[in-house]
């Protein structure tokens, strides 16, 4: 038996308590369904999901010891009770101006924030623009949308000739050729400042 090679190296994180994650979502959508399932079954995380089911009413799923919420957190002590907030497609109006302010303060102090919202919630025309939380977003919305109204994507000549673009012109077409089976048009596009 060789004693010298009976070792193994691996990372180990030791916490006094499990990381606590709260997920706020505006509707039960596929993103929420799969993220909730993954986080709520992870034995290394305490998870609580709040999803809006109608105006002013939220469905609470999961459990964090010592924290009971049936609506978005509205007090500094509630924000202090968890480590990460996942912000789904929920507008600032639905959360409330006071909560947005408290959330911005908590993020600047220690709270982790993951934003999984659509551009309609966080983009140029959204109600988070100009709030204390806007600087915490990963991108800052331009003052005007990059493209307003419906538009469709098309392949560039380089994209059409690339192996990954082979056959995609059926759905996307090219600038000079309409697609045979067009995809639905996109509703708009928000730009970001670099």
């Amino acid at each position: 038996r060789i004693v010298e090679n009976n070792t193994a190296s691996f990372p180990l994180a030791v916490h006094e308590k499990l990381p606590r994650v709260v997920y706020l979502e505006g509707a039960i959508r596929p993103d929420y369904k799969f993220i909730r399932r993954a986080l709520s079954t992870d034995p290394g995380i305490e998870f609580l999901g709040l999803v809006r089911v109608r105006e002013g009413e939220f469905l609470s799923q999961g459990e964090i010891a010592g924290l009971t919420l049936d609506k978005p957190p509205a007090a500094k002590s509630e924000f202090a009770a968890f480590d990460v907030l996942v912000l789904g497609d929920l507008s600032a109006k639905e959360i409330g101006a006071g909560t947005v302010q408290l959330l911005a303060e908590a993020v600047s102090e220690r709270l982790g924030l993951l934003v999984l919202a659509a551009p309609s919630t966080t983009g140029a025309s959204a109600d988070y623009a100009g709030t204390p939380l806007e600087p915490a977003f990963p991108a800052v919305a331009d003052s005007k949308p990059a493209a307003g109204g419906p538009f469709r994507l098309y392949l560039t000549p380089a994209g059409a000739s690339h192996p990954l673009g082979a056959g995609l012109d059926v759905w996307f077409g090219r600038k000079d050729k309409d697609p045979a089976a067009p995809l639905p048009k996109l509703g708009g596009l928000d730009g970001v400042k670099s």
Side-chain angles (χ1 to χ4, degrees):
R1 187 168 155 167
I2 302 171
V3 177
E4 291 82 21
N5 69 356
N6 289 346
T7 63
S9 298
F10 57 91
L12 176 65
V14 178
H15 302 277
E16 271 185 46
K17 60 180 183 166
L18 296 175
R20 297 169 162 204
V21 178
V22 172
Y23 186 171
L24 299 179
E25 183 58 81
I28 296 178
R29 58 187 182 130
D31 300 21
Y32 176 79
K33 173 184 173 184
F34 293 109
I35 292 170
R36 180 197 59 82
R37 183 182 301 158
L39 293 178
S40 65
T41 59
D42 186 329
I45 294 174
E46 286 189 71
F47 173 80
L48 178 66
L50 289 169
V51 62
R52 186 175 64 87
V53 291
R54 58 182 70 83
E55 191 172 333
E57 189 176 328
F58 289 80
L59 171 66
S60 179
Q61 297 180 306
E63 184 179 334
I64 292 180
L67 180 65
T68 304
L69 293 174
D70 59 0
K71 61 183 182 202
K76 198 168 191 163
S77 62
E78 291 174 335
F79 281 105
F82 55 92
D83 305 298
V84 176
L85 178 85
V86 179
L87 180 60
D89 209 6
L90 192 63
S91 74
K93 178 184 174 194
E94 293 167 312
I95 294 173
T99 298
V100 169
Q101 176 66 43
L102 288 171
L103 175 55
E105 291 170 12
V107 167
S108 72
E109 292 170 8
R110 57 156 270 299
L111 182 68
L113 176 67
L114 175 62
V115 179
L116 298 176
S120 60
T121 303
T122 60
S125 59
D127 61 356
Y128 282 105
T131 69
L133 192 57
E134 183 184 28
F137 288 166
V140 178
D142 250 343
S143 58
K144 293 189 286 188
F151 69 97
R152 72 174 174 85
L153 298 175
Y154 61 88
L155 291 173
T156 63
S161 65
H162 193 279
L164 291 176
L168 293 180
D169 59 344
V170 171
W171 297 287
F172 293 101
R174 298 182 189 168
K175 205 166 196 172
D176 60 345
K177 178 183 168 195
D178 286 334
L183 295 172
K185 290 184 177 184
L186 298 174
L189 177 68
D190 284 328
V192 294
K193 297 176 185 175
S194 55

